[in-house]
Amino acid sequence: MAPEAPRRQPRLIDRSPSITGAEIVAELTPPPQFEHASFDSYRPDLNFPSQLEAVERLNAFAGAWLPQRPSGFFSRTRKPKPELPGIYLDGGFGVGKTHLLAALWHAAPGPKYFGTFIEYTALVGALGYAATVKQLSGARLICIDEFELDDPGDTMLMTRLLAELVASGTRVAATSNTPPNSLGEGRFAAIDFLREIQAMSANFEIVRIDGLDYRRRDIEGHAIAVSEDVLEHLVRALPGRGSIVTLDDFGALIRHLSTVHPSKYIKIINGIDVIALTDAYLLTDQTDALRLVAFIDRVYDAEIPIIASGQPLNEVFDDEMLSGGYRKKYQRSQSRLVALTTGELPPHD
């Protein structure tokens, strides 16, 4: 009997998944680490009163779904304070915006949806605009994490979509990144956000969340880079413990990501327990770097650790990237790469 051929190590670059509109809709829920997020489980930093104020304001926003009772004899003649249909969490990364957004989603009645900007634009691409409006119509709440201001076309597409949904009674909650070349370090993205969504701006209340960015502490650390021998040993040993481990050359993965829409990155890593990458190097092409950022966001949400050799992964973005308009994206990704290679996944975004 011929000996059994050795099994080939699984590779991410061999995965070119397709994704349907129905699959995207099914995934429009908070990431696993926020499955049980609540306002009570959020831990505000008492040195920054705006964090506790944000919890109270979101609780009030959620309270609009509760049955309203008359408060007194003359209450029927009083006009209730109008509640805006949209709320926007304005703050730097690392102050808990995603946790609070997920807590609001859990507090809301259904039907309801929670997704990133990329997921909603991918849904339009998969279903078409009219079918997307039909799919999301009737939702009590739409949550948009990381509302992207990088692409004017996509931003205005979402503006149009949200305008139609709000007009039909849907409420919207969003967070946002800082757009390229924004100087709003102190004001974060609120002014830019309102400018970009022009006609929608009057429907959004801004909730400011100040605070120390815990990820800036992480950035001071370093992603762990292992030797090729250690990486090879771990790749051989971990499957014996029941883990599914992929092994890819860093450059080959970067090239592969250019062939897959970012909305499909989640399916590339589906079912994977550990990602191993060899020969990481400094990226000099911003398009490649931004694809890696989007990929790492999905890996981080799925809580999949990374083992890598070569350049420490938090050092793969060059100085020009780290000082440019997308610097906050890269800083967030740096801290996530530190967490993913050290096993110290933070408790909330």
Side-chain angles (χ1 to χ4, degrees):
M1 183 176 179
E4 183 178 348
R7 298 179 64 181
R8 183 179 178 182
Q9 191 71 39
R11 301 187 304 177
L12 297 176
I13 63 171
D14 293 329
R15 296 182 166 204
S16 297
S18 60
I19 191 165
T20 65
E23 288 174 317
I24 296 173
V25 170
E27 294 294 326
L28 291 179
T29 58
Q33 65 266 43
F34 300 111
E35 183 179 358
H36 302 293
S38 68
F39 297 129
D40 288 340
S41 63
Y42 179 74
R43 296 292 177 260
D45 185 338
L46 299 182
N47 292 314
F48 296 92
S50 63
Q51 293 190 12
L52 184 57
E53 291 167 3
V55 175
E56 294 171 348
R57 186 64 204 93
L58 287 168
N59 254 315
F61 187 83
W65 287 300
L66 299 176
Q68 301 300 308
R69 295 181 179 180
S71 58
F73 180 78
F74 296 105
S75 61
R76 294 180 184 274
T77 64
R78 296 175 185 158
K79 290 185 178 180
K81 181 181 178 181
E83 183 79 33
L84 292 174
I87 194 164
Y88 168 61
L89 304 184
D90 170 26
F93 55 83
V95 295
K97 298 191 307 296
T98 300
H99 181 114
L100 290 174
L101 192 66
L104 178 64
W105 185 90
H106 286 297
K112 54 189 175 180
Y113 301 98
F114 183 110
T116 63
F117 183 92
I118 288 175
E119 288 172 315
Y120 287 109
T121 55
L123 183 61
V124 175
L127 295 181
Y129 181 81
T132 300
V133 172
K134 183 178 179 180
Q135 172 67 52
L136 300 181
S137 290
R140 306 293 295 278
L141 177 68
I142 299 285
C143 290
I144 308 171
D145 198 21
E146 301 170 15
F147 197 111
E148 300 282 355
L149 304 180
D150 307 335
D151 185 298
D154 281 347
T155 299
M156 299 316 292
L157 171 69
M158 283 297 292
T159 299
R160 179 185 168 201
L161 176 64
L162 292 179
E164 291 204 36
L165 294 174
V166 166
S168 67
T170 296
R171 306 177 82 205
V172 178
T175 68
S176 180
N177 67 337
T178 300
N181 304 318
S182 170
L183 300 177
E185 288 284 346
R187 282 293 304 137
F188 304 109
I191 294 173
D192 300 293
F193 179 82
L194 295 179
R195 185 192 67 240
E196 291 293 338
I197 62 170
Q198 300 170 0
M200 285 287 293
S201 62
N203 290 319
F204 278 86
E205 175 188 355
I206 304 298
V207 175
R208 176 74 175 271
I209 307 177
D210 296 302
L212 294 176
D213 175 7
Y214 72 85
R215 287 204 183 104
R216 288 195 182 277
R217 297 193 296 271
D218 293 337
I219 291 172
E220 294 174 1
H222 296 280
I224 294 176
V226 301
S227 67
E228 293 291 342
D229 289 342
V230 170
L231 186 143
E232 184 178 340
H233 169 74
L234 291 172
V235 167
R236 286 200 310 263
L238 287 172
R241 303 176 188 175
S243 297
I244 298 176
V245 182
T246 57
L247 176 62
D248 291 87
D249 173 74
F250 179 77
L253 176 62
I254 295 297
R255 291 189 294 274
H256 182 60
L257 293 179
S258 71
T259 69
V260 181
H261 190 277
S263 65
K264 301 176 184 177
Y265 289 172
I266 187 64
K267 293 193 74 173
I268 290 181
I269 60 175
N270 185 44
I272 302 302
D273 297 309
V274 180
I275 292 171
L277 299 173
T278 61
D279 299 322
Y281 57 82
L282 183 70
L283 296 172
T284 56
D285 182 272
Q286 183 143 259
T287 301
D288 286 343
L290 289 172
R291 290 194 190 103
L292 179 63
V293 168
F295 178 73
I296 292 304
D297 285 344
R298 303 288 77 79
V299 174
Y300 182 85
D301 286 344
E303 300 181 304
I304 301 173
I306 297 175
I307 306 167
S309 66
Q311 186 107 345
L313 287 176
N314 66 314
E315 298 177 9
V316 299
F317 307 117
D318 69 18
D319 290 341
E320 185 175 350
M321 296 173 190
L322 294 174
S323 61
Y326 294 104
R327 61 191 177 279
K328 286 192 175 181
K329 280 191 171 188
Y330 295 127
Q331 289 170 352
R332 182 187 69 203
S333 195
Q334 282 180 311
S335 66
R336 290 184 167 188
L337 286 163
V338 170
L340 289 168
T341 60
T342 60
E344 297 178 357
L345 293 170
H348 66 263
D349 192 356

